[in-house]
């Protein structure tokens, strides 16, 4: 339980439930959560849902959008990645259209504050934009398979553009405790 709490950033009840599910153990009914505990659990679940949505959006973009296929997919193929590897690691592409991911997520009902908290969306001078725009995407998973954050690599050769961006630290993602792959 302690290891799961440390590595996965699970609360004690979450760690117990995960272990029980993993080993098919029936848990007794639990006492109701306090409003604070319920709020924290609800926010954590919202962040996990958004990260899963982002992973699916980026993975779909690399296979279905013309830009994703031409830039992202071809980049991975040139680097020797097989389609099976791309699928296994759920690699993707964030289109250059600055608002494509953000606008789509907001239309689906996801909250902007959570998109910003996860580092997927940035706001500057009342302008929203995709933080990972024009980058190939590497989802960062926990040991249990949940998406904690992302790494994005630019394919531009401009020396002024940072080659890699990573998600900021959040309640889900602690950079010092997570190793990619």
């Amino acid at each position: 339980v302690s290891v799961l709490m440390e590595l996965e950033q699970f609360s004690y009840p979450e760690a117990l439930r995960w272990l029980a599910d993993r080993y098919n153990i029936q848990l007794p009914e639990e006492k109701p959560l306090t409003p604070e505990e319920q709020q924290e659990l609800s926010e954590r679940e919202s962040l996990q849902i958004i990260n899963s949505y982002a992973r699916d959006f980026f993975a779909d973009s690399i296979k279905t959008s013309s830009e994703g296929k031409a830039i992202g997919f071809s980049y991975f193929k040139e680097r020797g990645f097989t389609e099976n590897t791309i699928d296994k690691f759920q690699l993707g592409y964030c289109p250059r259209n600055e608002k494509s991911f953000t606008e789509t997520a907001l239309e689906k009902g996801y909250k902007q504050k959570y998109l910003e908290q996860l580092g997927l969306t940035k706001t500057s001078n009342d302008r929203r934009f995709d933080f990972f725009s024009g980058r190939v995407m590497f989802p960062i998973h926990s040991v249990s398979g949940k998406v904690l954050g992302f790494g994005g690599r630019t394919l531009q050769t401009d020396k002024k553009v940072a080659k890699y961006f990573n998600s900021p630290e959040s309640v889900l993602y602690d950079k010092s405790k997570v190793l990619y792959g």
Side-chain angles (χ1 to χ4, degrees):
V1 172
S2 298
V3 169
L4 284 173
M5 289 173 66
E6 177 87 18
L7 291 176
E8 299 292 327
Q9 302 298 307
F10 285 159
S11 65
Y12 182 76
E14 288 173 322
L16 288 179
R17 277 193 295 278
W18 188 86
L19 285 168
D21 287 346
R22 170 106 176 168
Y23 295 104
N24 298 317
I25 298 170
Q26 186 72 28
L27 290 178
E29 292 297 316
E30 55 190 58
K31 68 176 174 92
L33 297 174
T34 67
E36 294 82 18
E37 291 171 327
Q38 184 61 42
Q39 172 67 23
E40 183 182 328
L41 183 61
S42 176
E43 184 169 306
R44 181 182 203 83
E45 287 173 349
S46 295
L47 294 173
Q48 289 172 334
I49 289 168
I50 290 171
N51 268 347
S52 294
Y53 171 75
R55 175 206 55 216
D56 294 344
F57 179 92
F58 300 141
D60 182 61
S61 176
I62 202 169
K63 291 183 175 185
T64 60
S65 77
S66 56
E67 181 184 342
K69 286 189 240 180
I71 298 172
F73 192 78
S74 65
Y75 167 78
F76 286 126
K77 293 301 267 184
E78 287 171 13
R79 303 289 294 197
F81 288 44
T82 64
E83 198 162 339
N84 186 38
T85 300
I86 293 168
D87 291 341
K88 179 179 180 177
F89 288 93
Q90 302 171 323
L91 305 177
Y93 180 75
C94 183
R96 280 189 215 152
N97 176 348
E98 286 189 353
K99 297 179 183 173
S100 64
F101 169 75
T102 300
E103 284 182 356
T104 305
L106 292 172
E107 287 170 7
K108 296 267 186 198
Y110 297 112
K111 294 182 179 177
Q112 182 174 334
K113 80 173 194 173
Y114 293 145
L115 294 170
E116 290 178 1
Q117 190 174 341
L118 290 167
L120 295 165
T121 299
K122 295 290 181 183
T123 304
S124 176
N125 300 328
D126 296 329
R127 186 177 71 94
R128 286 188 302 248
F129 58 94
D130 296 343
F131 181 67
F132 292 105
S133 179
R135 293 174 180 269
V136 289
M137 300 299 295
F138 300 85
I140 301 166
H141 295 91
S142 68
V143 174
S144 64
K146 293 180 181 175
V147 180
L148 303 176
F150 295 90
R153 184 196 192 285
T154 187
L155 302 179
Q156 296 179 22
T157 55
D158 184 353
K159 300 275 188 216
K160 295 177 184 174
V161 176
K163 191 180 241 182
Y164 290 96
F165 280 154
N166 293 311
S167 294
E169 297 218 358
S170 69
V171 295
L172 300 180
Y173 182 46
D174 182 345
K175 293 178 184 183
S176 66
K177 296 181 180 178
V178 178
L179 180 63
Y180 179 78

